[in-house]
Amino acid sequence: MALHWLTTGVAHEIRNPLTTIKGFVQLYNQEDNSVEYSELLLNELERIETITSELLSLGKPLAIKRSRLNIRELIENTVDLLSLQVSMNNIQFILSVEDSPIFITCEKNQLKQVFLNIIKNAIEAMNEGGEIHISLRKSSDDACIISFKDMGCGIPEELLPRLGEPFYTLKEKGTGLGLMICHKIIKLHSGSIFYQSKVNEGTLVEISIPLAI
Ligand code: ADP
Ligand code: MG
């Protein structure tokens, strides 16, 4: 929790001056002809911006508000948010959710962030397009399982333990914070996350969250 306070606090403090600097660089970019350096500066600034935004998505601890929620709705909302992005990437969502409502106790925005980060990774892993299968079911032990299966590049087995490690990324413009944030949020919900993957075939990510009592 202490780390949580620290990171979101620091992220806030960094982001405000960053916005000012970025504005000025953009202004110089228009007036000046030293475009080369401005581009470089803007790229670096954008990177810091992405990192701070990702850290901020953990949310302010004080703002955390848990509620009882039908998880199916949250999944459907998240999928809707990404529908344009997937169709532009030649990707299709295949949803399979149980008809009966499944209630969990959660912080809605945090959990939505988890789904977004996982689906974004799936999209980024599928350059050629394809299907992302998302399913929701009850498991036997008073929990529900949300699974995401892509047909992307996959992850070599020896790298699976590194997922969720801060700043671990194989992407040129990646931050390596997406899964770290997912792991933290899932832990805050007393849940767990599991990965299974095959290089050039795809990846399965399964999240288990306890049902509301
Ligand atoms: P980022 O997306 O910024 O790189 P993440 O924490 O979201 O950071 O993911 C860390 C790394 O895990 C990614 O760079 C990628 O190599 C790997 N990864 C995560 N999800 C998938 C996936 N569905 N398919 C292939 N690789 C993945
Ligand atoms: Mg990511």
Side-chain angles (χ1 to χ4, degrees):
M1 268 325 243
L3 180 68
H4 186 192
W5 276 91
L6 189 66
T7 46
T8 51
V10 171
H12 262 295
E13 293 307 314
I14 291 175
R15 207 164 58 163
N16 295 338
L18 186 67
T19 311
T20 316
I21 298 173
K22 197 176 157 194
F24 276 106
V25 174
Q26 268 164 345
L27 201 68
Y28 284 134
N29 205 359
Q30 287 165 4
E31 291 176 353
D32 212 299
N33 44 16
S34 55
V35 176
E36 219 179 301
Y37 297 116
S38 305
E39 283 296 320
L40 188 93
L41 275 175
L42 277 176
N43 275 334
E44 294 298 302
L45 286 172
E46 259 155 31
R47 181 159 176 80
I48 304 177
E49 203 173 37
T50 313
I51 291 178
T52 47
S53 309
E54 292 210 4
L55 289 175
L56 281 172
S57 71
L58 272 171
K60 274 192 262 168
L62 283 177
I64 289 179
K65 213 177 120 231
R66 297 224 170 164
S67 55
R68 190 180 150 89
L69 188 100
N70 181 2
I71 184 147
R72 177 185 179 154
E73 281 169 27
L74 192 60
I75 293 173
E76 286 172 348
N77 287 345
T78 314
V79 164
D80 284 346
L81 279 181
L82 291 167
S83 59
L84 190 64
Q85 198 183 338
V86 292
S87 61
M88 273 174 10
N89 286 284
N90 218 4
I91 294 171
Q92 248 191 310
F93 281 133
I94 314 278
L95 244 74
S96 129
V97 282
E98 268 182 32
D99 280 336
S100 53
I102 297 182
F103 289 102
I104 60 166
T105 305
C106 71
E107 211 293 310
K108 198 164 104 185
N109 292 321
Q110 284 192 333
L111 217 54
K112 191 192 256 180
Q113 191 63 47
V114 169
F115 300 156
L116 280 175
N117 288 353
I118 290 172
I119 299 172
K120 278 193 184 151
N121 281 342
I123 296 172
E124 285 160 7
M126 295 204 289
N127 286 330
E128 326 263 277
E131 291 171 355
I132 298 177
H133 291 252
I134 301 174
S135 79
L136 167 66
R137 61 180 195 276
K138 272 188 188 166
S139 67
S140 51
D141 52 349
D142 297 329
C144 67
I145 293 179
I146 310 113
S147 78
F148 304 85
K149 193 172 190 303
D150 66 55
M151 301 169 30
C153 60
I155 304 162
E157 205 182 330
E158 67 274 17
L159 295 181
L160 289 178
R162 298 202 60 183
L163 300 177
E165 198 179 284
F167 306 110
Y168 170 72
T169 179
L170 292 180
K171 296 170 196 168
E172 200 190 332
K173 292 214 159 177
T175 62
L177 290 173
L179 289 179
M180 186 273 280
I181 287 165
C182 290
H183 286 206
K184 278 195 186 242
I185 294 174
I186 292 167
K187 202 168 167 202
L188 286 170
H189 287 83
S190 313
S192 60
I193 185 164
F194 162 83
Y195 303 94
Q196 193 182 324
S197 191
K198 236 185 174 154
V199 173
N200 295 327
E201 284 188 20
T203 302
L204 169 73
V205 182
E206 275 192 349
I207 298 171
S208 167
I209 305 219
L211 299 177
I213 6 162

